[in-house]
Amino acid sequence: MAAKTWTGYAPWLDRQGRLSGLRALAFALLLIPALILAYEAWTGQLGSKPWTRAVHDTGTWSIRILLVTLAVSPLRRILDWGKLIGIRRMLGLGAMSYALAHLLLYCIDLAFDWGLILSEIVKRFYLTVGIVAVFGLAALGATSTDGMIRRMGAQAWQRLHNLVYLITALGLLHFALQSKIDVSQPALLNGLFALLLLYRLMNRWKLPVTAASLVAAALATGLATALAETAWYATTTGVSAWMVFQANWDVLTYQDLQFLRPGHWVALAGLAVALAHAVRSGVREPKPVRAGRLRSQSATSE
């Protein structure tokens, strides 16, 4: 009986208890960052400050997985892929797990000196923002079960879980503030978040989802990401805004893909979604009919 109960909660099974390739793949992918981190720790590849490296890696993966979680609903609609919804809860719990590991490793790094930990969180704004995001994710994870939906009621539960967007924004702010000089990755993740928010607005405003509208969304968020990155460097480091923006443009001018900036990656991600939508929708350009073939068809019809 116990084995049967455990099997019912196996992450690779769907709600009917059948093996789901999609769920199994998602679960395996969630484990990979943790396994890599464990291997690097075991083999001494985490550098001179292994705990600090582990803290950073788990935090970064938490935000990445959280963004993938937020991508499930819009991609399900855009690609008309209903089965995607089956992995959303698992992904959300994965993001929460990495966030809690991030917090635990931070406490280990400070030797569980609670006085020091609390003072650091209070004194450093980026830590204050980060701890709020972690506790917010924990609250969403704790209330993610079907039982909690019934206890809270669907509307109250939905209002609570809509806070995931605010929590994501706080997590991204925490990441950007602690990155200090190089904000390439925070800029990329913020750009992807903006793209997901735009998809959400398109759905709320009932805008038509076409290849053209998705391409426009991709280009708009790519440009916005480039401008945001430019503004960040200009205001926090004193680097010329024109130099940063020109770095984005030079890639397009000289087609040097080695130096793709965050804005380019965001645009490419959006264009990939547009292409996938076109393929899933069966959009095909009609093949041109040869003149000779057209004449033969006309003669046959006569």
Side-chain angles (χ1 to χ4, degrees), residues 213-240:
S213 65
L214 293 173
V215 168
L219 297 179
T221 49
L223 177 60
T225 302
L227 292 174
E229 182 193 22
T230 300
W232 178 278
Y233 279 116
T235 56
T236 60
T237 67
V239 175
S240 168

PDB file of all heavy atoms in Angstrom, residues 213-240:
ATOM      1  N   SER A 213       2.496  39.087 -35.030  1.00  0.00           N
ATOM      2  CA  SER A 213       2.434  39.718 -33.710  1.00  0.00           C
ATOM      3  C   SER A 213       3.522  39.169 -32.790  1.00  0.00           C
ATOM      4  O   SER A 213       4.088  39.902 -31.972  1.00  0.00           O
ATOM      5  CB  SER A 213       1.057  39.507 -33.078  1.00  0.00           C
ATOM      6  OG  SER A 213       0.812  38.138 -32.817  1.00  0.00           O
ATOM      7  N   LEU A 214       3.843  37.894 -32.935  1.00  0.00           N
ATOM      8  CA  LEU A 214       4.899  37.302 -32.113  1.00  0.00           C
ATOM      9  C   LEU A 214       6.275  37.826 -32.522  1.00  0.00           C
ATOM     10  O   LEU A 214       7.142  38.051 -31.666  1.00  0.00           O
ATOM     11  CB  LEU A 214       4.858  35.778 -32.224  1.00  0.00           C
ATOM     12  CG  LEU A 214       3.619  35.107 -31.612  1.00  0.00           C
ATOM     13  CD1 LEU A 214       3.609  33.618 -31.934  1.00  0.00           C
ATOM     14  CD2 LEU A 214       3.572  35.323 -30.101  1.00  0.00           C
ATOM     15  N   VAL A 215       6.472  38.032 -33.812  1.00  0.00           N
ATOM     16  CA  VAL A 215       7.732  38.626 -34.278  1.00  0.00           C
ATOM     17  C   VAL A 215       7.865  40.052 -33.749  1.00  0.00           C
ATOM     18  O   VAL A 215       8.941  40.468 -33.292  1.00  0.00           O
ATOM     19  CB  VAL A 215       7.805  38.604 -35.819  1.00  0.00           C
ATOM     20  CG1 VAL A 215       8.951  39.482 -36.320  1.00  0.00           C
ATOM     21  CG2 VAL A 215       7.985  37.178 -36.319  1.00  0.00           C
ATOM     22  N   ALA A 216       6.770  40.806 -33.793  1.00  0.00           N
ATOM     23  CA  ALA A 216       6.794  42.175 -33.277  1.00  0.00           C
ATOM     24  C   ALA A 216       7.120  42.186 -31.785  1.00  0.00           C
ATOM     25  O   ALA A 216       7.904  43.026 -31.313  1.00  0.00           O
ATOM     26  CB  ALA A 216       5.448  42.847 -33.533  1.00  0.00           C
ATOM     27  N   ALA A 217       6.529  41.258 -31.032  1.00  0.00           N
ATOM     28  CA  ALA A 217       6.812  41.168 -29.601  1.00  0.00           C
ATOM     29  C   ALA A 217       8.281  40.835 -29.357  1.00  0.00           C
ATOM     30  O   ALA A 217       8.920  41.394 -28.459  1.00  0.00           O
ATOM     31  CB  ALA A 217       5.917  40.106 -28.959  1.00  0.00           C
ATOM     32  N   ALA A 218       8.828  39.938 -30.161  1.00  0.00           N
ATOM     33  CA  ALA A 218      10.234  39.547 -30.011  1.00  0.00           C
ATOM     34  C   ALA A 218      11.163  40.731 -30.257  1.00  0.00           C
ATOM     35  O   ALA A 218      12.090  40.994 -29.474  1.00  0.00           O
ATOM     36  CB  ALA A 218      10.559  38.407 -30.973  1.00  0.00           C
ATOM     37  N   LEU A 219      10.918  41.456 -31.333  1.00  0.00           N
ATOM     38  CA  LEU A 219      11.789  42.584 -31.672  1.00  0.00           C
ATOM     39  C   LEU A 219      11.647  43.719 -30.654  1.00  0.00           C
ATOM     40  O   LEU A 219      12.638  44.361 -30.290  1.00  0.00           O
ATOM     41  CB  LEU A 219      11.462  43.083 -33.079  1.00  0.00           C
ATOM     42  CG  LEU A 219      11.710  42.073 -34.210  1.00  0.00           C
ATOM     43  CD1 LEU A 219      11.331  42.673 -35.563  1.00  0.00           C
ATOM     44  CD2 LEU A 219      13.162  41.608 -34.216  1.00  0.00           C
ATOM     45  N   ALA A 220      10.420  43.944 -30.185  1.00  0.00           N
ATOM     46  CA  ALA A 220      10.196  45.020 -29.215  1.00  0.00           C
ATOM     47  C   ALA A 220      10.902  44.728 -27.896  1.00  0.00           C
ATOM     48  O   ALA A 220      11.565  45.607 -27.319  1.00  0.00           O
ATOM     49  CB  ALA A 220       8.699  45.211 -28.985  1.00  0.00           C
ATOM     50  N   THR A 221      10.783  43.502 -27.398  1.00  0.00           N
ATOM     51  CA  THR A 221      11.429  43.175 -26.124  1.00  0.00           C
ATOM     52  C   THR A 221      12.946  43.084 -26.279  1.00  0.00           C
ATOM     53  O   THR A 221      13.684  43.407 -25.347  1.00  0.00           O
ATOM     54  CB  THR A 221      10.882  41.854 -25.559  1.00  0.00           C
ATOM     55  OG1 THR A 221      10.899  40.846 -26.575  1.00  0.00           O
ATOM     56  CG2 THR A 221       9.470  42.026 -25.045  1.00  0.00           C
ATOM     57  N   GLY A 222      13.405  42.660 -27.449  1.00  0.00           N
ATOM     58  CA  GLY A 222      14.848  42.656 -27.683  1.00  0.00           C
ATOM     59  C   GLY A 222      15.420  44.061 -27.624  1.00  0.00           C
ATOM     60  O   GLY A 222      16.457  44.304 -26.993  1.00  0.00           O
ATOM     61  N   LEU A 223      14.724  45.003 -28.277  1.00  0.00           N
ATOM     62  CA  LEU A 223      15.165  46.401 -28.251  1.00  0.00           C
ATOM     63  C   LEU A 223      15.081  46.970 -26.840  1.00  0.00           C
ATOM     64  O   LEU A 223      15.999  47.673 -26.380  1.00  0.00           O
ATOM     65  CB  LEU A 223      14.309  47.231 -29.208  1.00  0.00           C
ATOM     66  CG  LEU A 223      14.600  48.736 -29.248  1.00  0.00           C
ATOM     67  CD1 LEU A 223      16.045  48.996 -29.664  1.00  0.00           C
ATOM     68  CD2 LEU A 223      13.628  49.440 -30.192  1.00  0.00           C
ATOM     69  N   ALA A 224      13.996  46.663 -26.131  1.00  0.00           N
ATOM     70  CA  ALA A 224      13.837  47.156 -24.761  1.00  0.00           C
ATOM     71  C   ALA A 224      14.945  46.617 -23.857  1.00  0.00           C
ATOM     72  O   ALA A 224      15.461  47.330 -22.986  1.00  0.00           O
ATOM     73  CB  ALA A 224      12.469  46.758 -24.217  1.00  0.00           C
ATOM     74  N   THR A 225      15.325  45.369 -24.063  1.00  0.00           N
ATOM     75  CA  THR A 225      16.405  44.779 -23.265  1.00  0.00           C
ATOM     76  C   THR A 225      17.725  45.492 -23.530  1.00  0.00           C
ATOM     77  O   THR A 225      18.488  45.789 -22.601  1.00  0.00           O
ATOM     78  CB  THR A 225      16.549  43.280 -23.592  1.00  0.00           C
ATOM     79  OG1 THR A 225      15.310  42.617 -23.327  1.00  0.00           O
ATOM     80  CG2 THR A 225      17.650  42.648 -22.756  1.00  0.00           C
ATOM     81  N   ALA A 226      18.000  45.778 -24.801  1.00  0.00           N
ATOM     82  CA  ALA A 226      19.235  46.488 -25.148  1.00  0.00           C
ATOM     83  C   ALA A 226      19.258  47.878 -24.522  1.00  0.00           C
ATOM     84  O   ALA A 226      20.287  48.322 -23.991  1.00  0.00           O
ATOM     85  CB  ALA A 226      19.365  46.583 -26.668  1.00  0.00           C
ATOM     86  N   LEU A 227      18.126  48.570 -24.559  1.00  0.00           N
ATOM     87  CA  LEU A 227      18.056  49.910 -23.975  1.00  0.00           C
ATOM     88  C   LEU A 227      18.202  49.857 -22.454  1.00  0.00           C
ATOM     89  O   LEU A 227      18.861  50.716 -21.854  1.00  0.00           O
ATOM     90  CB  LEU A 227      16.736  50.575 -24.360  1.00  0.00           C
ATOM     91  CG  LEU A 227      16.572  50.920 -25.846  1.00  0.00           C
ATOM     92  CD1 LEU A 227      15.160  51.432 -26.123  1.00  0.00           C
ATOM     93  CD2 LEU A 227      17.609  51.954 -26.273  1.00  0.00           C
ATOM     94  N   ALA A 228      17.585  48.845 -21.830  1.00  0.00           N
ATOM     95  CA  ALA A 228      17.687  48.717 -20.375  1.00  0.00           C
ATOM     96  C   ALA A 228      19.122  48.406 -19.956  1.00  0.00           C
ATOM     97  O   ALA A 228      19.628  48.956 -18.969  1.00  0.00           O
ATOM     98  CB  ALA A 228      16.745  47.620 -19.884  1.00  0.00           C
ATOM     99  N   GLU A 229      19.785  47.531 -20.702  1.00  0.00           N
ATOM    100  CA  GLU A 229      21.184  47.220 -20.404  1.00  0.00           C
ATOM    101  C   GLU A 229      22.051  48.464 -20.551  1.00  0.00           C
ATOM    102  O   GLU A 229      22.924  48.743 -19.721  1.00  0.00           O
ATOM    103  CB  GLU A 229      21.686  46.118 -21.338  1.00  0.00           C
ATOM    104  CG  GLU A 229      23.120  45.700 -21.057  1.00  0.00           C
ATOM    105  CD  GLU A 229      23.716  44.853 -22.167  1.00  0.00           C
ATOM    106  OE1 GLU A 229      23.216  44.911 -23.306  1.00  0.00           O
ATOM    107  OE2 GLU A 229      24.708  44.148 -21.890  1.00  0.00           O
ATOM    108  N   THR A 230      21.782  49.223 -21.600  1.00  0.00           N
ATOM    109  CA  THR A 230      22.530  50.462 -21.828  1.00  0.00           C
ATOM    110  C   THR A 230      22.340  51.436 -20.674  1.00  0.00           C
ATOM    111  O   THR A 230      23.304  52.022 -20.163  1.00  0.00           O
ATOM    112  CB  THR A 230      22.063  51.114 -23.145  1.00  0.00           C
ATOM    113  OG1 THR A 230      22.303  50.212 -24.229  1.00  0.00           O
ATOM    114  CG2 THR A 230      22.796  52.415 -23.393  1.00  0.00           C
ATOM    115  N   ALA A 231      21.090  51.599 -20.244  1.00  0.00           N
ATOM    116  CA  ALA A 231      20.789  52.527 -19.152  1.00  0.00           C
ATOM    117  C   ALA A 231      21.447  52.081 -17.853  1.00  0.00           C
ATOM    118  O   ALA A 231      21.960  52.906 -17.083  1.00  0.00           O
ATOM    119  CB  ALA A 231      19.277  52.638 -18.973  1.00  0.00           C
ATOM    120  N   TRP A 232      21.451  50.769 -17.602  1.00  0.00           N
ATOM    121  CA  TRP A 232      22.050  50.257 -16.365  1.00  0.00           C
ATOM    122  C   TRP A 232      23.542  50.580 -16.311  1.00  0.00           C
ATOM    123  O   TRP A 232      24.040  51.114 -15.323  1.00  0.00           O
ATOM    124  CB  TRP A 232      21.830  48.752 -16.262  1.00  0.00           C
ATOM    125  CG  TRP A 232      22.459  48.145 -15.036  1.00  0.00           C
ATOM    126  CD1 TRP A 232      23.760  47.773 -14.875  1.00  0.00           C
ATOM    127  CD2 TRP A 232      21.819  47.885 -13.782  1.00  0.00           C
ATOM    128  NE1 TRP A 232      23.975  47.274 -13.610  1.00  0.00           N
ATOM    129  CE2 TRP A 232      22.803  47.335 -12.922  1.00  0.00           C
ATOM    130  CE3 TRP A 232      20.518  48.047 -13.319  1.00  0.00           C
ATOM    131  CZ2 TRP A 232      22.500  46.954 -11.621  1.00  0.00           C
ATOM    132  CZ3 TRP A 232      20.231  47.657 -12.019  1.00  0.00           C
ATOM    133  CH2 TRP A 232      21.213  47.122 -11.189  1.00  0.00           C
ATOM    134  N   TYR A 233      24.253  50.258 -17.382  1.00  0.00           N
ATOM    135  CA  TYR A 233      25.690  50.516 -17.393  1.00  0.00           C
ATOM    136  C   TYR A 233      25.982  52.010 -17.315  1.00  0.00           C
ATOM    137  O   TYR A 233      26.928  52.440 -16.643  1.00  0.00           O
ATOM    138  CB  TYR A 233      26.323  49.928 -18.654  1.00  0.00           C
ATOM    139  CG  TYR A 233      26.606  48.447 -18.559  1.00  0.00           C
ATOM    140  CD1 TYR A 233      25.970  47.542 -19.392  1.00  0.00           C
ATOM    141  CD2 TYR A 233      27.520  47.958 -17.631  1.00  0.00           C
ATOM    142  CE1 TYR A 233      26.225  46.180 -19.307  1.00  0.00           C
ATOM    143  CE2 TYR A 233      27.786  46.605 -17.536  1.00  0.00           C
ATOM    144  CZ  TYR A 233      27.135  45.721 -18.370  1.00  0.00           C
ATOM    145  OH  TYR A 233      27.396  44.376 -18.270  1.00  0.00           O
ATOM    146  N   ALA A 234      25.169  52.805 -17.989  1.00  0.00           N
ATOM    147  CA  ALA A 234      25.413  54.247 -18.009  1.00  0.00           C
ATOM    148  C   ALA A 234      25.215  54.869 -16.635  1.00  0.00           C
ATOM    149  O   ALA A 234      25.952  55.780 -16.240  1.00  0.00           O
ATOM    150  CB  ALA A 234      24.492  54.912 -19.026  1.00  0.00           C
ATOM    151  N   THR A 235      24.227  54.382 -15.883  1.00  0.00           N
ATOM    152  CA  THR A 235      23.907  54.994 -14.591  1.00  0.00           C
ATOM    153  C   THR A 235      24.711  54.417 -13.430  1.00  0.00           C
ATOM    154  O   THR A 235      24.918  55.100 -12.426  1.00  0.00           O
ATOM    155  CB  THR A 235      22.406  54.839 -14.280  1.00  0.00           C
ATOM    156  OG1 THR A 235      22.057  53.446 -14.325  1.00  0.00           O
ATOM    157  CG2 THR A 235      21.565  55.601 -15.283  1.00  0.00           C
ATOM    158  N   THR A 236      25.157  53.174 -13.541  1.00  0.00           N
ATOM    159  CA  THR A 236      25.837  52.545 -12.405  1.00  0.00           C
ATOM    160  C   THR A 236      27.350  52.468 -12.552  1.00  0.00           C
ATOM    161  O   THR A 236      28.062  52.379 -11.554  1.00  0.00           O
ATOM    162  CB  THR A 236      25.303  51.119 -12.171  1.00  0.00           C
ATOM    163  OG1 THR A 236      25.542  50.321 -13.344  1.00  0.00           O
ATOM    164  CG2 THR A 236      23.817  51.148 -11.858  1.00  0.00           C
ATOM    165  N   THR A 237      27.849  52.487 -13.784  1.00  0.00           N
ATOM    166  CA  THR A 237      29.299  52.349 -13.976  1.00  0.00           C
ATOM    167  C   THR A 237      29.926  53.557 -14.649  1.00  0.00           C
ATOM    168  O   THR A 237      31.151  53.672 -14.685  1.00  0.00           O
ATOM    169  CB  THR A 237      29.616  51.102 -14.832  1.00  0.00           C
ATOM    170  OG1 THR A 237      29.117  51.293 -16.159  1.00  0.00           O
ATOM    171  CG2 THR A 237      28.982  49.865 -14.226  1.00  0.00           C
ATOM    172  N   GLY A 238      29.105  54.427 -15.197  1.00  0.00           N
ATOM    173  CA  GLY A 238      29.647  55.590 -15.886  1.00  0.00           C
ATOM    174  C   GLY A 238      30.123  55.298 -17.298  1.00  0.00           C
ATOM    175  O   GLY A 238      30.663  56.181 -17.972  1.00  0.00           O
ATOM    176  N   VAL A 239      29.939  54.067 -17.764  1.00  0.00           N
ATOM    177  CA  VAL A 239      30.320  53.720 -19.132  1.00  0.00           C
ATOM    178  C   VAL A 239      29.410  54.471 -20.101  1.00  0.00           C
ATOM    179  O   VAL A 239      28.214  54.642 -19.851  1.00  0.00           O
ATOM    180  CB  VAL A 239      30.198  52.199 -19.356  1.00  0.00           C
ATOM    181  CG1 VAL A 239      30.468  51.843 -20.815  1.00  0.00           C
ATOM    182  CG2 VAL A 239      31.164  51.462 -18.450  1.00  0.00           C
ATOM    183  N   SER A 240      29.978  54.925 -21.194  1.00  0.00           N
ATOM    184  CA  SER A 240      29.204  55.668 -22.177  1.00  0.00           C
ATOM    185  C   SER A 240      28.019  54.841 -22.673  1.00  0.00           C
ATOM    186  O   SER A 240      28.183  53.697 -23.115  1.00  0.00           O
ATOM    187  CB  SER A 240      30.095  56.040 -23.368  1.00  0.00           C
ATOM    188  OG  SER A 240      29.317  56.522 -24.442  1.00  0.00           O
TER     189      SER A 240
END
